[in-house]
Amino acid sequence: MSYQDHIIEMGQLIKSKNGTWDGINPESVARMRLQNRFKTGLEIAKYTADIMRKDMAAYDLDAGKYTQSLGCWHGFIGQQKMISIKKHFKSTDRKYLYLSGWMVAALRSEFGPLPDQSMHEKTSVPALIEELYTFLRQADARELGGLYRDLDAARAAGDKAKEASIIDQIDNFQTHVVPVIADIDAGFGNAEATYLLAKKMIEAGACALQIENQVSDEKQCGHQDGKVTVPHEDFLQKVRAVRYAFLELGVDNGVIVTRTDSLGAGLTKQIAVSHQPGDLGDQYNAFLDCDEVDASQIGNGDVIITRNGKLLRPKRLPSNLFQFREGTGADRCVLDSITSLQNGADLLWIETEKPHVEQIASMMDRIREVIPNAKLVYNNSPSFNWTLNFRQQIYDTYKAAGKDVSAYDREKLMSVDYDGTELAAEADEKIRTFQADGAKRAGIFHHLITLPTYHTAALSTDNLAKEYFGAAGMLGYVAGVQRKEIREGIACVKHQNMSGSDIGDDHKEYFAGEAALKAGGVHNTMNQFA
């Protein structure tokens, strides 16, 4: 509905109240309605799910149309990210938010900083989703509020052309509300627990939930050791639980991202149930590291499985966990991924130990032989040393081609001594094009960085602390922060405006008219940043 249509509709409603609502201005109501487009989290989930489905279809036709996100641990961080995207690129198309369970554990738990082992409160995840969308909706209200003020100024100046232009901007306003891919870890318990938490996350606005195939009570960060996976049927119960949650709430286009940690997970807590040779349980068990035994060698408490008429004893560790055979990780990832897509998943996530396009593609090629439109969400993780990894990749390419590499020490390529070299320049170019290359070659539909704003917060705080508490004193803040904010057009330099002061002033005027006591007068110091 257009701006003018809202005004007309509200005018008719007010008129129908026989004078009792004459103190209500229909244009003010229209403005408030447009500033609050989304009334509930479910509205957001339905709207953003449709966006993701449209983007997935576009990627199937053109791999250059991949999507991206950055992990955000606070609503303000997500808000500033989307404001910056609109400022620099004029559109939020194909730009999402990522909610990382790692950052919730490390930054948002009432227990204090925790490792990424599903120990944080379940409710902290939907609470952060709701917070992210509260801040994004406020960004809408703030930007539209500025347009309304510009509209009033154009009218006061009698500038009809500018008035029409601003109304067009209002009618074609693009919201800051974008899809969020939210981490539900390994489901925080059994399938029922997964379903209940999924509902809370969807009700808060999440249109896409990412769930991994680790054991809930043994869950580890994907880039740490000691990961324990579960049999496929156990995992698929949780995938189905998430789908039921989406469907119950009417988010029919909800997106499920199934993550496999099998590449780095060498352990399982369970032997899968198998009813006949070659079934899913049998395929899972086929990767177990076993010793062939006969009946006389079976000891007290041994677990025995049979295969092809042979008795096999899976190797059990002192932890009571069973181990997979070395070198089976990629094969297990492929089976995990195909199985997930055949049982209701929409997107895949394969956690790797390094950012290597051909390694990822080697698995996706096999998956796409079975499911041609399989698409990947990929973690451009800060746990990778990107500089070292890519310099080593270029080094290995040089060496394989017979190029002289005697000037380089492969294990020390992170050194600043190599920064100006041809090898370093080629590595940086490969890093720059990694997302486009991965989208084209390895089926990566969505590129995300899980923890970037965790690191940027630490880096910027370190820089400020070094300068402000050192010889620079106040100049450390002015030169390093405020002056850059002003000159680079960072929206929150007007922090009163960003926090909603101008929106509040507008509301005071709606409610009280000329009697409104507003904060944005001539003595407001924010005027120094005009």
Side-chain angles (χ1 to χ4, degrees):
M1 188 183 296
S2 72
Y3 182 62
Q4 195 61 39
D5 286 341
H6 275 289
I7 295 172
I8 293 169
E9 182 182 279
M10 286 302 97
Q12 291 171 344
L13 177 62
I14 291 165
K15 188 176 181 179
S16 73
K17 300 303 177 179
N18 299 317
T20 59
W21 284 15
D22 284 358
I24 304 297
N25 183 300
E27 186 165 13
S28 297
V29 179
R31 291 180 175 190
M32 295 174 80
R33 281 191 162 196
L34 289 171
Q35 284 176 303
N36 188 27
R37 172 179 172 181
F38 301 99
K39 309 301 186 289
T40 68
L42 278 178
E43 286 186 24
I44 291 172
K46 292 175 184 178
Y47 168 77
T48 54
D50 290 344
I51 289 174
M52 278 197 73
R53 293 290 178 175
K54 176 178 66 70
D55 289 346
M56 290 161 67
Y59 174 80
D60 286 340
L61 297 174
D62 179 0
K65 293 183 177 179
Y66 58 91
T67 58
Q68 299 168 288
S69 65
L70 297 174
C72 299
W73 54 271
H74 192 279
F76 177 73
I77 300 296
Q79 178 197 64
Q80 294 305 300
K81 171 188 145 182
M82 297 317 301
I83 287 174
S84 294
I85 285 170
K86 285 193 75 174
K87 180 181 78 171
H88 292 296
F89 305 106
K90 311 306 179 189
S91 171
T92 61
D93 290 351
R94 303 200 305 276
K95 309 295 190 294
Y96 302 169
L97 296 180
Y98 179 65
L99 187 155
S100 160
W102 193 102
M103 286 209 283
V104 172
L107 298 172
R108 301 303 299 262
S109 171
E110 292 184 9
F111 293 111
L114 293 172
D116 183 21
Q117 295 171 354
S118 291
M119 294 188 290
H120 52 281
E121 308 88 343
K122 294 180 184 181
T123 53
S124 59
V125 184
L128 179 52
I129 297 169
E130 183 177 4
E131 178 181 289
L132 285 165
Y133 282 125
T134 297
F135 273 80
L136 294 185
R137 289 160 64 198
Q138 194 261 8
D140 281 358
R142 172 187 167 274
E143 188 172 324
L144 282 165
L147 288 172
Y148 299 153
R149 289 178 173 222
D150 292 344
L151 178 59
D152 291 340
R155 285 173 174 169
D159 190 336
K160 295 293 184 180
K162 188 170 184 181
E163 178 183 348
S165 173
I166 294 169
I167 290 175
D168 182 67
Q169 291 177 60
I170 294 169
D171 286 341
N172 292 285
F173 178 80
Q174 186 179 38
T175 178
H176 295 81
V177 169
V178 295
V180 62
I181 298 175
D183 187 357
I184 198 171
D185 279 23
F188 286 89
N190 62 14
E192 175 70 7
T194 302
Y195 154 77
L196 292 171
L197 179 56
K199 280 182 63 177
K200 288 293 185 186
M201 294 169 73
I202 297 162
E203 288 169 341
C207 73
L209 300 184
Q210 165 222 328
I211 186 165
E212 60 200 69
N213 68 337
Q214 291 193 51
V215 177
S216 289
D217 56 353
E218 299 284 352
K219 194 265 184 198
Q220 293 275 24
C221 172
H223 293 284
Q224 293 184 321
D225 206 353
K227 294 183 289 296
V228 182
T229 62
V230 297
H232 297 97
E233 199 49 57
D234 294 52
F235 181 59
L236 294 177
Q237 291 177 26
K238 294 186 177 183
V239 174
R240 288 192 287 270
V242 173
R243 181 62 68 201
Y244 271 108
F246 273 124
L247 294 174
E248 177 184 339
L249 295 171
V251 187
D252 297 350
N253 264 346
V255 176
I256 298 176
V257 182
T258 50
R259 167 175 153 175
T260 174
D261 280 285
S262 289
L263 194 63
L267 304 170
T268 183
K269 181 176 275 189
Q270 299 165 257
I271 305 295
V273 174
S274 174
H275 299 290
Q276 59 187 17
D279 65 14
L280 201 50
D282 190 47
Q283 291 180 69
Y284 186 81
N285 294 338
F287 293 114
L288 292 169
D289 193 1
C290 301
D291 293 319
E292 185 178 343
V293 296
D294 59 41
S296 65
Q297 295 173 302
I298 300 174
N300 184 57
D302 278 354
V303 173
I304 302 296
I305 61 175
T306 62
R307 186 178 303 123
N308 300 324
K310 298 177 180 179
L311 295 176
L312 301 175
R313 179 170 56 207
K315 293 180 181 178
R316 186 157 56 181
L317 305 177
S319 61
N320 206 29
L321 299 170
F322 300 95
Q323 67 184 35
F324 293 110
R325 298 193 314 276
E326 287 278 345
T328 62
D331 291 338
R332 285 183 282 127
C333 282
V334 171
L335 179 61
D336 295 344
S337 298
I338 292 171
T339 301
S340 291
L341 291 174
Q342 290 175 333
N343 288 273
D346 301 294
L347 296 169
L348 302 171
W349 175 316
I350 299 175
E351 194 75 349
T352 67
E353 83 289 358
K354 61 181 180 289
H356 195 295
V357 169
E358 286 304 318
Q359 179 198 31
I360 304 161
S362 68
M363 291 180 279
M364 284 299 290
D365 286 347
R366 294 169 62 189
I367 295 165
R368 285 184 152 186
E369 287 176 5
V370 180
I371 302 172
N373 70 337
K375 291 179 281 295
L376 199 64
V377 171
Y378 188 71
N379 177 9
N380 292 229
S381 177
S383 294
F384 304 143
N385 184 330
W386 286 75
T387 301
L388 181 60
N389 267 287
F390 276 82
R391 287 181 180 183
Q392 288 181 339
Q393 288 179 39
I394 299 300
Y395 176 96
D396 293 342
T397 301
Y398 281 1
K399 190 171 182 179
K403 193 169 183 175
D404 181 14
V405 292
S406 60
Y408 304 103
D409 183 335
R410 189 179 187 279
E411 300 309 312
K412 297 180 180 178
L413 288 173
M414 181 66 198
S415 172
V416 68
D417 295 340
Y418 296 116
D419 283 0
T421 64
E422 177 189 4
L423 182 148
E426 286 195 40
D428 280 355
E429 179 61 12
K430 280 292 185 183
I431 293 170
R432 187 186 71 80
T433 64
F434 175 80
Q435 295 189 342
D437 294 342
K440 183 177 180 180
R441 172 69 185 93
I444 301 176
F445 159 73
H446 186 75
H447 282 278
L448 61 89
I449 308 179
T450 44
L451 320 176
T453 53
Y454 177 90
H455 292 281
T456 54
L459 178 62
S460 60
T461 301
D462 179 79
N463 289 334
L464 176 59
K466 177 180 66 176
E467 297 298 320
Y468 176 74
F469 293 104
M474 192 57 198
L475 184 60
Y477 172 76
V478 172
V481 180
Q482 190 182 74
R483 193 176 294 162
K484 290 183 178 180
E485 284 183 302
I486 295 169
R487 292 176 177 174
E488 295 178 24
I490 305 300
C492 72
V493 70
K494 294 185 178 182
H495 48 258
Q496 305 287 14
N497 167 270
M498 186 58 64
S499 70
S501 179
D502 289 348
I503 296 171
D505 272 1
D506 292 340
H507 290 173
K508 290 174 186 177
E509 190 169 354
Y510 300 163
F511 307 153
E514 293 182 359
L517 182 64
K518 296 190 288 186
V522 293
H523 299 297
N524 188 314
T525 59
M526 285 294 100
N527 294 329
Q528 297 173 31
F529 300 97

